[in-house]
């Protein structure tokens, strides 16, 4: 079977997995779950590019979605993005398996696209992180050959999905690429000092590529007047946790361990299925160690998986160390949500399962190879049908559209304050599923919300300077209109608890519906500017766009060489009579 057919089969399998996983989420409307926030008719605003003073975690993913929504309906964009995660994950993992047989490659693809890591992060709404995760196998292949002809271009192309995902996705991909390059980069036949220099050069290229692709979010973060926030109190809150009978480390080995217990798929972690999934993972790791002989990236992927797993366990097993690192430099806060760094381990497990299936096929045990491909789906059935109905499409109420028309039609300057004073909402029209407040993306004005996240009984400090200043008035639920006027607030929007939340004093009620109420504050002062300068941010975007165009080969990209041009798996000799 030729390469084009193999890659097409993997892509179509990923599409089938995506359709099965999303289920009711493919109906018209939007899937809103925790950090997954898509809105109709999004617009380019200062918030989109991280210029309002908030930490630019949503950059550049929001800008890319907004650009796509200018061509397609925004709910269609969301569905295409989510399906692309499954297609890319299956195709990229399949491309790493050193075999010409289709079933072993599909075993790796299915395992990588359908596992506890994907399920938990999808329920947590971290689609941007999953976008980078989906392309991580391509990053592994590109990092191992980054010093070869065209290696820099291939690396940039492989990192584009992570760059779109933003800081968390790029942090995971860059760490993986750096370790692979440092261990496997350079010429495989070089020895001694030449090998060290080659690997140092490979690592330097990875750092350079990741740094350039980080510019859209890195520049506004560095220019943020309030600086880079880093709260060490969040280390324990976001540390990996046990969601199987095998403890935290065992749960990470099984590609689970997310910090939020509400985002664990129904039924996952039961003793029987967890034990069977452990057997699959151990078999995959053993097969990788015994039979995977790909010289380009074999050792580098192992090192990346070990480094990633150690990072994933850091908050759970060595919280004081991580708090100390954050104290030294707030940027180390990117390591708090440790479980996301188990991604390279997922690549290793997927490739190992593909290698095991290939070994079974070579031994004429075709049924065993097919069982390996089906095992991830059979052992995690509740990812299907929108994670057992958890992910469903909903439509924004008519009250929201009415409020947006009123606010957008007002030429007077001023910000929008959102009540109740909480970061996440459980709207009845969203079936009570928790979601980050959508109004900052829904409205095209500067929207001030409470960004102090509460987990259990612990609350992390707010990061937005406007939220910090308005918190004393807003948290009462009845802020004074005079106070809001002095702070440059033009409108107060109440999107939950309508009856108990409203400004007191001379606020003008302009709309009150079942799902949302709007109050206008006349005579508001000009809102203060808390964001960075636009010029450097524009320059950062221009540089990144030019680098991405530079990375695209003149002949284009086909399914037979997905994102990596000449990188191909090493095919073993084909035996007669094998599938």
């Amino acid at each position: 079977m030729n390469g084009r057919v193999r890659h097409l089969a993997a892509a179509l399998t990923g599409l089938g997995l995506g359709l099965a996983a999303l289920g009711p989420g493919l109906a018209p409307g939007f899937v809103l779950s925790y950090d997954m926030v898509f809105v109709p008719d999004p617009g380019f605003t200062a918030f989109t590019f991280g210029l309002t003073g908030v930490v630019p975690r949503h950059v550049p993913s929001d800008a890319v979605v907004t650009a796509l929504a200018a061509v397609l309906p925004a709910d269609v964009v969301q569905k295409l993005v989510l399906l692309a995660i499954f297609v890319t994950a299956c195709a990229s993992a399949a491309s790493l398996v050193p075999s010409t047989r289709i079933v072993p490659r599909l075993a790796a693809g299915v395992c990588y696209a359908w596992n506890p890591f994907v399920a938990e992060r999808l329920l947590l709404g971290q689609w941007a992180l999953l976008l980078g995760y989906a392309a991580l196998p391509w990053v592994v292949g590109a990092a191992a050959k980054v010093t070869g002809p065209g290696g820099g271009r291939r690396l940039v192309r492989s990192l584009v999905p992570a760059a779109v995902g933003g800081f968390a996705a790029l942090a995971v991909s860059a760490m993986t690429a750096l370790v692979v390059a440092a261990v496997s980069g350079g010429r495989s036949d070089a020895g001694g000092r030449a090998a060290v220099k080659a690997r140092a050069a490979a690592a330097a290229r990875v750092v350079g590529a990741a740094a350039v692709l980080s510019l859209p979010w890195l520049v506004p973060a560095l220019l943020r007047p309030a600086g880079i926030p880093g709260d060490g109190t969040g280390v324990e809150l976001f540390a990996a946790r046990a969601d199987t009978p095998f403890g935290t480390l065992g749960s990470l080995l099984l590609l689970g361990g997310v910090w939020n217990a509400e985002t664990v798929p129904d039924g996952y972690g039961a003793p029987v299925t967890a034990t069977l999934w452990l057997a699959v993972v151990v078999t995959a790791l053993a097969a990788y160690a015994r039979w995977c002989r790909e010289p380009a990236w074999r050792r580098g992927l192992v090192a990346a998986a070990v480094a990633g797993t150690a990072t994933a366990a850091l908050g759970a097993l060595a919280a004081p160390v991580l708090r100390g690192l954050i104290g030294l430099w707030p940027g180390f806060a990117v390591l708090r949500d440790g479980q996301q760094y188990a991604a390279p381990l997922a690549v290793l497990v997927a490739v190992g399962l593909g290698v095991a299936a290939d070994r079974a096929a070579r031994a004429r045990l075709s049924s065993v190879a097919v069982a390996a491909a089906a095992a991830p789906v059979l052992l995690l059935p509740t990812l299907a049908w929108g994670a057992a109905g958890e992910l469903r499409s909903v439509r924004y109420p008519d009250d929201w559209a009415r409020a947006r028309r009123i606010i957008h039609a007002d030429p007077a300057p001023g910000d929008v304050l959102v009540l109740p004073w909480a970061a996440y909402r459980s709207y009845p029209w969203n079936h009570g599923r928790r979601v980050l407040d959508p109004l900052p993306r829904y409205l095209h004005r500067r929207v001030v919300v409470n960004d102090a996240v509460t987990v259990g009984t612990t609350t992390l400090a707010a990061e937005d300077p406007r939220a910090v200043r308005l918190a004393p008035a807003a948290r009462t639920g009845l802020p004074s209109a005079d106070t809001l006027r002095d702070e440059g607030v033009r409108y107060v929007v109440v999107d939950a608890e309508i009856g108990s939340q409203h400004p007191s004093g001379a606020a003008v009620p302009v709309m009150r519906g079942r799902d949302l109420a709007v109050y206008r504050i006349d005579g508001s002062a000009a809102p203060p500017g808390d964001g960075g300068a636009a010029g450097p941010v524009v320059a950062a975007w221009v540089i990144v766009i030019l680098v991405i165009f530079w990375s695209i080969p003149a002949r284009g990209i086909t399914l037979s060489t997905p994102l990596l041009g000449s990188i191909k798996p090493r095919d073993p000799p084909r035996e007669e009579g094998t599938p």
Side-chain angles (χ1 to χ4, degrees):
M1 187 177 293
N2 64 50
R4 287 177 180 267
V5 174
R6 289 196 299 266
H7 287 295
L8 180 60
L12 291 176
T13 300
L15 177 60
L17 294 174
L19 294 173
L22 298 178
L26 296 172
F30 297 89
V31 177
L32 305 176
S33 179
Y34 285 92
D35 296 341
M36 192 186 310
V37 181
F38 286 72
V39 298
D41 302 318
F44 290 108
T45 64
F47 174 81
T48 309
F49 298 98
L51 292 171
T52 60
V54 300
V55 180
R57 295 187 178 92
H58 57 285
V59 180
S61 54
D62 273 16
V64 174
V65 167
T66 301
L68 294 175
V71 181
L72 298 170
D75 61 335
V76 174
V77 170
Q78 183 191 30
K79 298 174 201 323
L80 291 177
V81 168
L82 295 178
L83 288 174
I85 290 170
F86 287 89
V87 172
T88 303
C90 190
S92 65
S95 71
L96 277 189
V97 178
S99 172
T100 58
R101 300 175 179 86
I102 187 64
V103 173
R105 293 162 73 94
L106 293 184
V110 171
C111 179
Y112 193 65
W114 193 289
N115 59 57
F117 184 98
V118 173
E120 293 176 347
R121 291 293 160 174
L122 186 63
L123 285 167
L124 196 53
Q126 294 184 347
W127 65 271
L129 173 68
L130 286 176
L131 202 59
Y133 165 90
L136 193 60
W138 285 333
V139 173
V140 169
K145 297 183 178 182
V146 68
T147 56
R153 294 173 185 252
R154 288 194 296 269
L155 179 65
V156 169
R157 291 200 300 274
S158 69
L159 286 171
V160 166
V164 171
F167 83 104
L170 201 50
V172 174
S173 295
M175 183 209 74
T176 303
L178 183 60
V179 174
V180 171
V183 173
S184 300
R187 292 176 51 191
S188 59
D189 58 346
R193 188 173 300 176
V196 173
K197 288 183 177 180
R199 288 167 183 164
R205 287 196 176 192
V206 170
V207 172
V212 170
L213 293 175
S214 299
L215 290 177
W217 59 263
L218 185 60
V219 170
L222 294 176
L223 296 180
R224 184 172 177 263
I228 300 175
D231 191 347
T233 61
V235 169
E236 286 87 357
L237 299 180
F238 299 114
R241 55 175 293 279
D243 52 12
T244 68
F246 308 117
T248 299
L249 287 179
S251 298
L252 288 172
L253 178 66
L254 298 187
L255 309 181
V258 73
W259 62 270
N260 189 336
E262 295 180 1
T263 63
V264 177
D266 289 344
Y268 175 70
V272 173
T273 55
T275 301
L276 292 174
W277 178 234
L278 176 63
V280 170
V281 170
V282 171
T283 299
L285 295 177
Y288 186 96
R290 178 68 178 84
W291 294 308
C292 184
R293 290 292 178 263
E294 173 56 49
W297 42 258
R298 180 179 181 270
R299 290 187 302 163
L301 179 54
V302 171
V306 171
T309 305
T311 303
L314 190 59
L317 303 183
V321 174
L322 185 51
R323 279 198 302 271
L325 290 174
I326 295 173
L328 290 174
W329 181 54
F332 282 118
V334 73
L335 303 178
R336 287 187 311 191
D337 189 354
Q339 189 245 5
Q340 62 191 7
Y341 292 91
L345 175 62
V347 180
L348 192 149
V349 170
V351 174
L353 188 61
V355 170
D358 182 62
R359 199 72 181 182
R362 292 174 65 182
R364 302 178 186 272
L365 299 174
S366 300
S367 59
V368 175
V370 172
V377 177
L378 296 177
L379 294 177
L380 189 59
T382 52
L383 175 54
W385 196 245
E390 291 292 325
L391 303 177
R392 290 177 281 176
S393 289
V394 297
R395 296 183 184 273
Y396 284 88
D398 293 339
D399 285 350
W400 283 57
R402 288 173 54 206
R404 179 160 63 176
R405 287 194 296 269
I406 292 170
I407 294 173
H408 289 181
D410 185 358
D415 296 340
V416 178
L417 177 71
V418 181
L419 296 177
W421 194 240
Y424 287 84
R425 301 290 197 261
S426 298
Y427 301 116
W429 52 267
N430 193 37
H431 308 292
R433 183 143 195 90
R434 199 172 307 224
V435 63
L436 190 67
D437 198 306
L439 281 169
R441 294 170 174 84
Y442 192 87
L443 299 177
H444 299 174
R445 284 184 184 240
R446 166 75 153 104
V447 178
V448 183
V449 298
N450 180 13
D451 63 346
V453 178
T454 299
V455 180
T457 59
T458 304
T459 300
L460 300 183
E463 298 172 340
D464 181 0
R466 296 282 283 136
V468 172
R469 290 198 298 270
L470 286 165
R475 67 166 56 101
T476 66
L478 301 169
S480 165
D482 292 336
T483 301
L484 299 179
R485 183 182 297 111
D486 294 340
E487 287 288 344
V489 174
R490 175 65 172 170
Y491 285 96
V492 175
V493 176
V494 183
D495 63 355
E497 302 176 27
I498 308 296
S500 61
Q501 308 276 324
H502 59 81
S504 60
V508 180
V510 295
M511 196 204 93
R512 183 183 176 93
R514 183 181 64 179
D515 298 295
L516 195 138
V518 179
Y519 300 87
R520 188 179 68 240
I521 311 295
D522 291 329
S524 296
D530 294 304
V537 174
V538 172
W541 276 87
V542 171
I543 292 171
V544 170
I545 291 172
L546 290 176
V547 168
I548 291 174
F549 273 110
W550 164 80
S551 73
I552 299 174
R555 295 183 180 179
I557 301 171
T558 66
L559 274 172
S560 62
T561 53
L563 288 180
L564 298 183
S566 63
I567 289 184
K568 297 179 181 178
R570 188 166 169 239
D571 293 335
R574 180 179 174 85
E575 297 181 8
E576 293 296 327
T578 56

